[in-house]
Amino acid sequence: MLIPRQQVPALTVDTLGSGAFDLAADGADFATLVVFYRGLHCPICATYLKELGRLTPDFAEKGVKTIAISSDDKDRAQQMADKVGHEALRFGYGLPLTVAREWGLYVSTSRGTTSIGIEEPALFSEPGVFLVKGDGSLYFASVQTMPFVRPHFQEMIGALDFVQKNDYPARGEYTGAV
């Protein structure tokens, strides 16, 4: 389990049009919003990432860089990026499932062709949303076992105003006895 205020695992992936992504070298003013998505086969992911793409400039105004990452190959990642249609949103691909597990993501097996007629990969990770501070420490995390009910990006933008104005610390950091 990842712990707020502690370092997250290393994260490097290839991206579409942005070269290699290395979280440790991303250089966001406040944080990087890492959104792990299931892959091209997921229609809910496409809708979710369209919202992230639309709001990426708003996140940038708050000093937050965004990236959407899946274990899909380059071709499938490009198809998803084309479907999403927001050039400001970076897309990473080829996430090793061993790395997905280090981040606490759940891994699912294929159920065949989805409702939109796209074959699921044999194995893929379920969604996760992480806000990682520039120093590599975890600020916020939400991990799903299903494609449904994810954090709202518009709500996160509003929360960032409060967080930054009040220097609000990451919560959930306590690891002692209870």
Side-chain angles (χ1 to χ4, degrees), residues 82-98:
D82 293 344
K83 194 181 287 192
V84 169
H86 288 280
E87 290 186 19
L89 176 58
R90 297 177 290 177
F91 276 83
Y93 62 90
L95 175 71
L97 293 178
T98 54

Side-chain angles (χ1 to χ4, degrees), residues 117-139:
I118 298 174
E119 187 77 17
E120 290 182 345
L123 296 172
F124 58 91
S125 66
E126 292 296 337
V129 177
F130 299 83
L131 193 61
V132 180
K133 300 281 295 247
D135 65 2
S137 64
L138 179 64
Y139 188 79

Side-chain angles (χ1 to χ4, degrees), residues 37-47 76 80 83 114 116 118 120 127 147 150:
Y37 70 99
R38 302 171 82 223
L40 176 65
H41 65 276
C42 178
I44 296 170
C45 294
T47 301
R76 285 172 67 104
M80 180 61 96
K83 194 181 287 192
T114 64
I116 58 172
I118 298 174
E120 290 182 345
R150 303 183 198 186

Side-chain angles (χ1 to χ4, degrees), residues 38-159:
R38 302 171 82 223
L40 176 65
H41 65 276
C42 178
I44 296 170
C45 294
T47 301
Y48 193 60
L49 295 178
K50 284 178 184 178
E51 181 72 356
L52 177 59
R54 184 180 73 76
L55 294 172
T56 286
D58 296 331
F59 279 110
E61 287 178 14
K62 311 272 185 223
V64 176
K65 292 184 173 186
T66 60
I67 186 165
I69 300 173
S70 77
S71 58
D72 276 348
D73 63 22
K74 184 177 183 178
D75 179 59
R76 285 172 67 104
Q78 186 63 62
Q79 289 179 61
M80 180 61 96
D82 293 344
K83 194 181 287 192
V84 169
H86 288 280
E87 290 186 19
L89 176 58
R90 297 177 290 177
F91 276 83
Y93 62 90
L95 175 71
L97 293 178
T98 54
V99 174
R101 281 251 170 99
E102 290 174 4
W103 280 76
L105 301 179
Y106 293 90
V107 176
S108 291
T109 58
S110 177
R111 293 185 42 118
T113 303
T114 64
S115 62
I116 58 172
I118 298 174
E119 187 77 17
E120 290 182 345
L123 296 172
F124 58 91
S125 66
E126 292 296 337
V129 177
F130 299 83
L131 193 61
V132 180
K133 300 281 295 247
D135 65 2
S137 64
L138 179 64
Y139 188 79
F140 167 89
S142 177
V143 176
Q144 269 56 50
T145 61
M146 299 284 264
F148 318 108
V149 191
R150 303 183 198 186
H152 296 277
F153 295 123
Q154 188 67 56
E155 228 176 272
M156 291 177 80
I157 289 170

